[in-house]
Amino acid sequence: MKTIATKHKALFFLLLTYSLVNAQISGNQVYGNSSSNYNNAAHSNKTIVVNNNVLSVSISILMNSKADGFVMTLGLNEEAETVTLCNTKINSRIDGFLAKIKALGIKKEESYVDFISQTKVYDFTVDGSTAQQFEKGFEIKKNIIITTANINHLEKIITMASEYEIHDIIKVEYFNEDTDQIHTNLFEQALEMADVKKDRYLKSFRKKIVGTPDANESFEVYFPKNQYKTYQAYESSEIQTHYNNRNTNYLKKLARKNKSFYYDGVSSAGFDKVINANQTEVGIQYTLTLTVSYKIDTSI
């Protein structure tokens, strides 16, 4: 009887999973969509499962990583009566801007000008009730792609770009230099943790493993551009209209209501290990889930 009770106690200890309970202030995000997805749902796996004499151990790790660098893409366009004049004007703006950002230590090889399009521009002349279309000139569009390792440079680049009427911030990509090494490190840590869980089970129940284990893993990378959500926070009154009153005529003007965006990364809940859990800077997130299966010796 004592032996059974001891085994039950050990099994409870092995299969116990932890949960983090924190006092929470929800904030205005509650006005947004509450759709359930991987970002806001707790990650959960059965950490130890015994089925048909096979012991399966699962480990999940989340890593928050600061970016090693950023790639910013800026867009600009220029219109003129001829292609030559159009190209001269847009190149003048680009050359002035690229010369300006040299003060930030951005080298020539860290920027690239991408030619996007050259199109004709048309307009209309109106004579009485007749509108006649005519060729007005040309428009050229180009993008400037800039790489920097300093996050503080991003806002400075945007300010400098505005001096040359470059206002279109198309996108900012985050990157780490050696994703393969990050993958390897996470795999090795997960393997060590799986080995500890396996040994704990074997010791508690006096079991042995035969043969070689099988393993499968899932490695995912989450970039900031896909992790933002939007909401509009406001409460509004309503106007009730009496449609049977023909003298009721009014114009309702709606106030402008701003949309807000916020970063909502992968939740740390349910992971066996979280690396850089308290990182506040928006960066890149990595998850690795490793499941190792061992065959139990049934002759004991």
Side-chain angles (χ1 to χ4, degrees), residues 65-76:
S65 175
K66 293 183 179 181
D68 294 325
F70 310 88
V71 180
M72 173 182 281
T73 302
L74 307 173
L76 71 160

Side-chain angles (χ1 to χ4, degrees), residues 150-180:
N150 191 335
I151 191 172
N152 297 319
H153 284 170
L154 298 180
E155 284 196 24
K156 294 177 181 178
I157 290 172
I158 292 171
T159 300
M160 292 176 177
S162 67
E163 297 176 18
Y164 297 88
E165 298 183 9
I166 304 172
H167 306 294
D168 187 5
I169 317 301
I170 296 174
K171 64 177 181 176
V172 178
E173 299 282 356
Y174 291 54
F175 68 86
N176 282 130
E177 295 285 358
D178 199 345
T179 303
D180 288 339

Side-chain angles (χ1 to χ4, degrees), residues 217-235:
E217 62 154 315
S218 174
F219 178 68
E220 303 289 343
V221 184
Y222 297 87
F223 294 99
K225 67 179 181 181
N226 300 319
Q227 303 292 82
Y228 280 87
K229 292 183 179 179
T230 181
Y231 70 87
Q232 279 186 291
Y234 65 89
E235 302 290 344

Side-chain angles (χ1 to χ4, degrees), residues 89-298:
K89 291 171 70 176
I90 196 170
N91 285 342
S92 176
R93 291 163 61 196
I94 292 172
D95 292 343
F97 168 65
L98 294 179
K100 185 86 172 180
I101 63 174
K102 285 183 180 179
L104 300 176
I106 296 176
K107 302 174 184 177
K108 183 178 181 180
E109 59 268 23
E110 294 174 328
S111 63
Y112 177 77
V113 178
D114 187 15
F115 186 95
I116 301 301
S117 65
Q118 174 185 298
T119 57
K120 291 183 177 181
V121 178
Y122 293 87
D123 204 344
F124 287 91
T125 58
V126 179
D127 183 11
S129 60
T130 303
Q132 180 68 42
Q133 191 175 46
F134 70 97
E135 185 180 303
K136 184 179 180 180
F138 297 87
E139 179 186 53
I140 291 178
K141 293 181 179 179
K142 294 186 179 183
N143 289 345
I144 307 172
I145 304 171
I146 301 167
T147 301
T148 178
N150 191 335
I151 191 172
N152 297 319
H153 284 170
L154 298 180
E155 284 196 24
K156 294 177 181 178
I157 290 172
I158 292 171
T159 300
M160 292 176 177
S162 67
E163 297 176 18
Y164 297 88
E165 298 183 9
I166 304 172
H167 306 294
D168 187 5
I169 317 301
I170 296 174
K171 64 177 181 176
V172 178
E173 299 282 356
Y174 291 54
F175 68 86
N176 282 130
E177 295 285 358
D178 199 345
T179 303
D180 288 339
Q181 187 59 48
I182 291 173
H183 185 184
T184 300
N185 292 340
L186 293 181
F187 179 84
E188 291 176 351
Q189 292 184 58
L191 198 59
E192 290 178 6
M193 295 172 69
D195 206 40
V196 170
K197 287 189 178 183
K198 179 260 295 180
D199 289 343
R200 188 185 303 161
Y201 175 87
L202 296 179
K203 182 179 179 181
S204 298
F205 294 95
R206 298 179 182 178
K207 298 290 184 179
K208 287 186 178 180
I209 299 298
V210 294
T212 57
D214 294 324
N216 61 76
E217 62 154 315
S218 174
F219 178 68
E220 303 289 343
V221 184
Y222 297 87
F223 294 99
K225 67 179 181 181
N226 300 319
Q227 303 292 82
Y228 280 87
K229 292 183 179 179
T230 181
Y231 70 87
Q232 279 186 291
Y234 65 89
E235 302 290 344
S236 181
S237 300
E238 293 292 335
I239 297 177
Q240 185 173 359
T241 306
H242 299 284
Y243 291 100
N244 58 350
N245 186 349
R246 295 182 179 179
N247 295 323
T248 301
N249 265 325
Y250 69 90
L251 178 67
K252 182 167 71 171
K253 182 179 180 181
L254 299 179
R256 178 181 176 184
K257 302 174 182 69
N258 288 332
K259 285 186 178 180
S260 294
F261 298 86
Y262 65 97
Y263 174 75
D264 188 28
V266 176
S267 170
S268 61
F271 284 91
D272 294 279
K273 183 175 183 179
V274 179
I275 302 172
N276 302 327
N278 297 322
Q279 179 176 301
T280 55
E281 181 178 318
V282 173
I284 305 170
Q285 292 184 294
Y286 299 88
T287 63
L288 184 138
T289 300
L290 175 69
T291 301
V292 186
S293 299
Y294 309 85
K295 187 174 182 181
I296 301 173
D297 186 354
T298 57

Side-chain angles (χ1 to χ4, degrees), residues 1-12 204-206:
M1 190 73 180
K2 184 177 180 181
T3 303
I4 295 175
T6 304
K7 286 186 176 181
H8 284 176
K9 185 176 180 181
L11 182 61
F12 174 77
S204 298
F205 294 95
R206 298 179 182 178

